[in-house]
Amino acid sequence: MLFSQLSELASVQIVKQYSDVKVSHLLTDSRKLIINEGSLFFAISGPRHDAHKFVKQVYDMGIRSFVVEDLSKIEYSKMPLANIALVGNAVQALQDIVAVHRRRFDLPVLAITGSNAKTTVKEYLAQMLEGEVNIVKSPKSYNSQIGVPLSVWLIDQNHDLGIFEAGISTIGEMEKLERVIQPTIGIFTNIGTAHDEGFESLDQKIKEKLKLFISVEKLIYRADRAEIHQNIIAQGITGFTWAMESGTVADVKVQRLGHHKYSFVYNEEFVLDFPFGDSASAENLIHCVVFLLYLGYNSKYIGLSLKRIKNVAMRLELKQGLNNTYLIDDTYNNDLAGLQIALDFLGQQNMRDRKSVIISDLIQAGKDHGRIYAEMTQLLNSHDISKVYAIGTELAKYKEYFSLQACFYESTEVFLSQIQISDFKDEIVLIKGARNFAFEKIVERLQQKTHGTVLEINLEALAHNLNYYRSLLRNGAKVMAMVKAFAYGSGSFEVAQLLQYHKVDYLGVAYTDEAVDLRHNGIIMPIMVMNAAKENFETLIKYQLEPEIYSLEILQDLIDFVNTNELLEVKIHIDVDTGMRRLGFELSDLEAIIKILSEHPQIKVVSVFSHLVGADEELHDDFSRMQIERFVAFAQRFEFLYGHTVIKHICNSAGIVAYPDAQLDMVRLGVGLYGVEATQKEQHRLRSVSTLKSVIAQIKHIGAGETVGYGRRGKADVDKTIATINIGYADGYSRAFSRGVGYVMVQGKRAPIIGNVCMDMCMIDVTNLDVHVGDEVILFGEELSIIELASAINTIPYEILTNVSERVKRVFYMA
């Protein structure tokens, strides 16, 4: 598509054309640019961000073609080489352009929707059809109003099948995605409570999702899910169905025979062995099997294809490696779209200066291998990468395409035999490989070993929570994100990197050493230190940190230090006690503060702030409002006497929700960022960030009357099956969960703690559960909330989060 052809769309008006380039890349994020003559940047404006403010910056970086909504918001005269198209809505224009692109290709396209498992079903299918057809699919979980068109744009003449997922959060969205995808076949995975707030009822949500399938030849779904089945019949959509209930009419009948075995009846009866035993994975696999049956594949092929499936983490994972390294684990597939996402994620990480990439051949690269590998190397060459380790016979054919340092290896085995652990030190390593290259062996070699218990941190969920709170802020209000206490147990450096990437205004820490560690790991944004002491002043100044000053004594100590060292400027934050009765200046100290500041102009006050005592509970509403009134009066008087405006902030996470009129110039976002809405009014708007996981180490069968654990505190009233898991109070799992107070999730079922929690392990009652050694155990997360667990032991979610020991390895991921 040429830039000039955009004018053929009713929604697009070309207002400036310097050159008629062929559009090749669609860009929507100024932080994720492909600098190419054919790159087209969409300046999307929304409630949280307005990309128009970055258009000139993007132009200066080398992008020349733009779709904008408001010419008055861009520096039009300073972009002489630009091509500019004006639209009413940039997202709609993006969808319109891709819809035209989609109509140019005649290939079967599968669309997948449902409340859960869209990405899983898509990736299972891709593995089952690997080597059979050339598939174009949604990268990661690109299923939104922007993600879908970016995915469909990837279709080219080499593809045999498209698989795209589509997700919606409210009415009126699915018709737009259907127009972009133009599916010929569909899969409806399931229906659940995700995004319920955008719909009046479950029935309305199903009807909205079904709008994706108005023109498909067949819709694959489970017919014994009555709420889905009835709506599909009412909509007149033709189904290709499956069912497990004996009384349900379906094209394919399915029966569970054992932990991994399932019987299928379709023209003939056959039995398949599934790679996973849990019911959720089984349902996802059945959707895939039925899809292949519809395409005409026989049971032999399907059985063999199931053996290829690995239930790998379909996400980017950031892990701690040996020799002070970080590893980005993306080892389940390799294609151009996924590589772009992985490189963008690599670009966000600044904990180490040096960055390397270990990469495999592309799988199903299509007929034009030269073009595909030229694009691949262009992506690699355009990022700040020190070295590439290229593994596979295909990559070696295109050595001349690499403009950066590259080493080539015939196979993963050859690579592992030739490299030394010492080759990787003080760097970030992206490990990006197609599944059959078994790059998990490389991760295993380079990863810092764990003891079976990990805390997984979903960085995408954290970004979602940040954006949710930003959506509540009045225009212009800044955000200080609190990363004290090891980022509420989540991991300071990695969380801070994400917050810096998302352009948070300030970080807040408790102690100076926390801030210094952040500086050593690439954090350059302003940091407020809340518990500064005079022995830390030299370090504060050295690392450009800004102390909270809470008393006349510490203010005088700082002035003495400034005078002794003849410093020209030190930035500080004034803490005012309006009712916490902890640290902070008294309201009566105002005149004395101003007098000292007027005599010492080197001290620059950046902000004045206070702490709300009970914003998370309505019963303290009168007291909270009294605090706000006191603070506003103090701050206004301070500014008047000081002669300068300063940033004013009093709202914490709870205050942002409870007292929007008190957001002032900045808010301090703490526990809400990590998925806990302190007032509990808006908890459904947040996503769980942390999941604490362990594994079953051993299973025992004990008789009635036997006891379990120290002190013989656990007693079996009947014959029981118990499992030992690798976590204890030294890992931060409280002893208060002992003796049935706490419980964990295994195979989607609750299992209570039996006996006392030990230092390094504990025992759970798994009687009547189908579990095995090595099975995953969830201590808290999406399935088992920390709010519920905190209530069980009469504490607060903060304590559950921050108690997780630093010996528990953190794995950070985007999903």
Side-chain angles (χ1 to χ4, degrees):
M1 183 180 294
L2 296 173
F3 182 83
S4 61
Q5 291 177 306
L6 299 182
S7 64
E8 298 172 12
L9 299 170
S11 60
V12 180
Q13 174 192 354
I14 293 179
V15 295
K16 185 177 187 298
Q17 182 176 312
Y18 178 81
S19 61
D20 198 11
V21 298
K22 181 181 178 181
V23 177
S24 57
H25 299 90
L26 307 182
L27 311 177
T28 61
D29 191 330
S30 62
R31 299 162 299 188
K32 302 175 181 179
L33 298 179
I34 301 173
I35 310 300
N36 182 282
E37 182 184 51
S39 294
L40 178 62
F41 182 80
F42 291 77
I44 297 171
S45 58
R48 298 166 185 158
H49 304 287
D50 187 349
H52 288 80
K53 68 175 75 171
F54 302 111
V55 165
K56 181 58 168 57
Q57 173 186 325
V58 170
Y59 176 84
D60 291 340
M61 294 173 70
I63 303 299
R64 291 294 177 260
S65 298
F66 300 87
V67 172
V68 303
E69 298 175 352
D70 189 340
L71 290 174
S72 67
K73 292 182 177 180
I74 64 174
E75 297 180 78
Y76 189 84
S77 61
K78 298 181 181 179
M79 301 164 58
L81 307 181
N83 301 314
I84 300 175
L86 179 65
V87 299
N89 183 295
V91 174
Q92 180 186 327
L94 172 67
Q95 294 171 348
D96 290 345
I97 291 167
V98 176
V100 171
H101 174 77
R102 164 68 182 93
R103 285 195 291 271
R104 295 176 175 176
F105 300 94
D106 182 20
L107 77 167
V109 170
L110 169 66
I112 306 173
T113 196
S115 295
N116 305 103
K118 297 181 287 294
T119 304
T120 301
V121 170
K122 177 195 69 186
E123 297 298 339
Y124 283 175
L125 281 172
Q127 291 184 54
M128 294 173 78
L129 289 167
E130 188 173 283
E132 183 72 11
V133 293
N134 194 10
I135 296 172
V136 55
K137 59 186 176 70
S138 308
K140 303 296 180 182
S141 299
Y142 272 36
N143 58 39
S144 67
Q145 297 293 305
I146 294 174
V148 167
L150 293 179
S151 301
V152 174
W153 180 256
L154 300 173
I155 298 175
D156 68 27
Q157 67 274 11
N158 294 311
H159 294 122
D160 305 308
L161 172 68
I163 307 178
F164 303 107
E165 50 181 294
I168 57 173
S169 56
T170 189
I171 61 173
E173 293 183 338
M174 193 59 92
E175 298 101 318
K176 299 174 184 176
L177 300 186
E178 190 280 335
R179 187 170 55 86
V180 174
I181 299 173
Q182 301 160 39
T184 59
I185 186 171
I187 293 179
F188 198 125
T189 59
N190 52 44
I191 196 70
T193 59
H195 300 296
D196 266 0
E197 64 273 13
F199 304 93
E200 295 177 359
S201 65
L202 184 68
D203 191 61
Q204 185 190 57
K205 183 159 68 170
I206 293 171
K207 285 184 169 66
E208 285 296 317
K209 288 182 178 291
L210 287 177
K211 290 177 181 178
L212 181 61
F213 306 119
I214 56 173
S215 299
V216 298
E217 299 161 4
K218 294 284 185 180
L219 173 58
I220 293 166
Y221 68 96
R222 185 170 180 176
D224 49 10
R225 293 288 188 256
E227 66 276 16
I228 297 175
H229 180 64
Q230 291 167 3
N231 272 287
I232 290 172
I233 297 300
Q235 296 290 327
I237 299 171
T238 304
F240 187 74
T241 61
W242 65 273
M244 298 186 75
E245 294 180 5
S246 57
T248 302
V249 176
D251 296 288
V252 182
K253 295 296 292 185
V254 186
Q255 184 180 358
R256 185 176 188 268
L257 302 179
H259 189 56
H260 286 263
K261 290 187 181 296
Y262 286 80
S263 164
F264 288 79
V265 179
Y266 176 67
N267 296 331
E268 59 173 345
E269 183 172 1
F270 55 93
V271 176
L272 295 174
D273 286 315
F274 282 4
F276 321 115
D278 64 285
S279 57
S281 294
E283 183 161 326
N284 297 334
L285 288 167
I286 293 169
H287 283 303
C288 298
V289 170
V290 174
F291 175 71
L292 293 188
L293 288 173
Y294 174 72
L295 291 185
Y297 289 93
N298 59 38
S299 58
K300 181 179 179 181
Y301 175 87
I302 295 172
L304 291 172
S305 71
L306 286 168
K307 296 182 186 300
R308 291 200 293 265
I309 290 181
K310 291 184 179 180
N311 198 13
V312 291
M314 287 172 285
R315 61 200 191 188
L316 287 161
E317 295 187 339
L318 181 66
K319 303 175 177 179
Q320 291 177 325
L322 299 170
N323 299 332
N324 199 33
T325 62
Y326 277 94
L327 311 178
I328 298 176
D329 182 353
D330 194 12
T331 56
Y332 81 98
N333 79 358
N334 193 18
D335 56 31
L336 287 175
L339 177 60
Q340 176 65 54
I341 293 171
L343 289 171
D344 287 340
F345 186 65
L346 175 64
Q348 296 175 32
Q349 314 308 318
N350 295 303
M351 296 86 75
R352 306 289 180 267
D353 292 333
R354 179 181 166 85
K355 297 177 181 179
S356 301
V357 175
I358 303 172
I359 194 165
S360 77
D361 286 347
L362 295 171
I363 299 300
Q364 296 177 310
K367 299 170 185 176
D368 189 356
H369 281 216
R371 179 181 62 82
I372 296 295
Y373 280 99
E375 289 188 35
M376 179 188 194
T377 52
Q378 180 191 9
L379 285 174
L380 292 166
N381 293 336
S382 63
H383 285 74
D384 185 20
I385 296 169
S386 302
K387 190 172 183 179
V388 171
Y389 300 84
I391 299 176
T393 55
E394 288 295 312
L395 274 166
K397 296 176 183 178
Y398 302 100
K399 290 182 179 181
E400 70 275 12
Y401 289 179
F402 287 87
S403 62
L404 44 75
Q405 184 182 2
C407 298
F408 296 86
Y409 305 85
E410 182 178 339
S411 67
T412 303
E413 289 68 29
V414 171
F415 171 80
L416 289 171
S417 69
Q418 294 185 8
I419 61 106
Q420 302 293 324
I421 297 298
S422 57
D423 293 340
F424 300 91
K425 185 178 180 181
D426 299 321
E427 60 186 302
I428 305 172
V429 184
L430 168 61
I431 305 172
K432 175 70 175 168
R435 184 189 58 80
N436 60 326
F437 279 84
F439 271 19
E440 61 269 18
K441 296 177 183 177
I442 299 175
V443 175
E444 175 66 20
R445 175 76 67 85
L446 300 180
Q447 184 179 359
Q448 196 176 94
K449 300 302 181 284
T450 68
H451 70 308
T453 297
V454 298
L455 183 67
E456 295 185 344
I457 312 298
N458 186 341
L459 296 176
E460 191 170 282
L462 193 143
H464 166 88
N465 297 339
L466 170 64
N467 284 330
Y468 166 68
Y469 280 101
R470 275 179 162 166
S471 74
L472 301 180
L473 299 184
R474 68 173 190 79
N475 189 36
K478 300 178 184 293
V479 175
M480 176 183 288
M482 307 307 296
V483 293
K484 60 183 180 177
F486 202 48
Y488 289 66
S490 297
S492 303
F493 316 146
E494 300 84 359
V495 169
Q497 288 287 347
L498 182 81
L499 296 170
Q500 182 167 268
Y501 175 75
H502 283 280
K503 301 186 184 301
V504 166
D505 301 282
Y506 259 90
L507 294 180
V509 300
Y511 296 103
T512 303
D513 56 350
E514 293 178 299
V516 171
D517 285 343
L518 292 178
R519 288 285 189 249
H520 285 161
N521 282 274
I523 301 302
I524 60 174
M525 60 191 298
I527 302 176
M528 182 179 81
V529 179
M530 303 188 74
N531 295 294
K534 63 179 181 180
E535 57 267 24
N536 301 134
F537 287 160
E538 184 175 354
T539 302
L540 287 165
I541 301 305
K542 177 181 178 181
Y543 289 97
Q544 295 182 296
L545 306 173
E546 302 172 15
E548 166 193 328
I549 300 299
Y550 51 82
S551 70
L552 292 171
E553 290 79 10
I554 197 167
L555 178 58
Q556 187 58 55
D557 288 339
L558 179 62
I559 288 168
D560 293 343
F561 177 82
V562 167
N563 290 337
T564 300
N565 292 276
E566 299 181 347
L567 300 177
L568 298 178
E569 181 178 282
V570 175
K571 296 178 179 179
I572 67 169
H573 300 257
I574 297 289
D575 182 4
V576 184
D577 186 357
T578 58
M580 176 70 80
R581 313 313 289 161
R582 192 174 59 181
L583 295 177
F585 285 99
E586 299 295 324
L587 300 176
S588 58
D589 290 330
L590 177 57
E591 304 293 338
I593 298 169
I594 293 298
K595 183 176 185 298
I596 293 173
L597 292 174
S598 65
E599 294 171 353
H600 302 279
Q602 313 98 305
I603 308 296
K604 304 293 184 184
V605 177
V606 177
S607 83
V608 174
F609 70 100
S610 189
H611 298 269
L612 291 175
V613 174
D616 54 343
E617 296 181 89
E618 288 187 3
L619 65 94
H620 301 305
D621 183 64
D622 289 342
F623 192 84
S624 295
R625 293 193 180 280
M626 178 272 292
Q627 280 194 277
I628 294 167
E629 290 175 6
R630 283 181 176 177
F631 175 69
V632 169
F634 179 96
Q636 289 177 343
R637 181 65 177 165
F638 178 90
E639 286 184 323
F640 175 75
L641 295 174
Y642 185 51
H644 303 283
T645 58
V646 296
I647 299 171
K648 299 170 285 297
H649 48 113
I650 191 172
C651 279
N652 53 10
S653 297
I656 295 170
V657 175
Y659 305 104
D661 55 333
Q663 291 172 3
L664 307 176
D665 303 311
M666 186 161 69
V667 298
R668 298 188 304 277
L669 183 55
V671 74
L673 187 63
Y674 305 96
V676 178
E677 203 288 280
T679 72
Q680 292 298 293
K681 294 177 182 178
E682 300 292 324
Q683 183 61 47
H684 63 287
R685 305 282 187 183
L686 301 183
R687 290 177 59 186
S688 178
V689 170
S690 303
T691 302
L692 182 60
K693 292 182 176 181
S694 190
V695 294
I696 292 177
Q698 189 175 25
I699 296 173
K700 292 179 180 288
H701 302 283
I702 63 174
E706 287 194 69
T707 60
V708 179
Y710 286 117
R712 305 183 67 196
R713 297 294 186 178
K715 187 171 183 179
D717 51 351
V718 297
D719 292 352
K720 286 184 178 293
T721 303
I722 65 169
T724 300
I725 60 177
N726 293 323
I727 190 170
Y729 57 78
D731 303 297
Y733 192 65
S734 174
R735 288 188 83 246
F737 289 123
S738 299
R739 287 170 270 169
V741 174
Y743 34 83
V744 301
M745 300 295 294
V746 189
Q747 298 285 18
K749 306 290 184 182
R750 293 193 175 201
I753 303 295
I754 183 169
N756 280 335
V757 174
C758 308
M759 179 179 286
D760 306 301
M761 60 194 72
C762 56
M763 288 66 73
I764 58 176
D765 185 349
V766 293
T767 307
N768 300 322
L769 296 182
D770 185 12
V771 300
H772 303 81
V773 170
D775 278 358
E776 181 179 86
V777 177
I778 295 177
L779 286 301
F780 62 70
E782 198 78 52
E783 300 175 68
L784 189 58
S785 78
I786 57 173
I787 296 170
E788 182 181 348
L789 292 176
S791 176
I793 60 172
N794 298 312
T795 187
I796 56 175
Y798 299 59
E799 185 173 349
I800 302 289
L801 281 172
T802 57
N803 269 1
V804 180
S805 167
E806 290 192 38
R807 86 169 185 175
V808 174
K809 299 305 177 187
R810 271 66 174 172
V811 173
F812 303 86
Y813 69 94
M814 298 289 286

